[in-house]
Amino acid sequence: MRVVVNFELCEANARCMAACPEVFEVDDGDQLHVLIANPPESLRAKVEKAAASCPRAAIRIAEN
Ligand code: SF4
């Protein structure tokens, strides 16, 4: 699994961080960081929840 973020869509509202802080972090400067680009399967449910909770649809999960 690979996390792909469209940073041009991201508005740094941190919904993804609320759903999966292991992978998504919004810093004090409102910049999103993907902490784990290739998360383990054990985090799939949380990453999917993060993607679903993004109001900008900026998060995509690729399977490679
Ligand atoms: S939920 Fe979407 S818009 Fe909000 S910080 Fe995460 S990627 Fe960006």
Side-chain angles (χ1 to χ4, degrees):
M1 176 186 13
R2 185 164 52 90
V3 173
V4 181
V5 173
N6 184 333
F7 285 94
E8 296 198 356
L9 292 177
C10 175
E11 60 184 16
N13 54 37
R15 303 270 182 87
C16 53
M17 183 166 71
C20 186
E22 295 90 338
V23 173
F24 301 96
E25 180 181 271
V26 176
D27 68 21
D28 293 341
D30 280 349
Q31 176 64 48
L32 172 65
H33 301 279
V34 178
L35 303 177
I36 310 174
N38 295 93
E41 282 300 315
S42 57
L43 287 175
R44 179 177 289 274
K46 293 181 86 172
V47 173
E48 287 179 348
K49 188 176 174 198
S53 68
C54 176
R56 303 282 292 159
I59 301 170
R60 188 168 64 83
I61 301 169
E63 298 301 335
N64 57 13

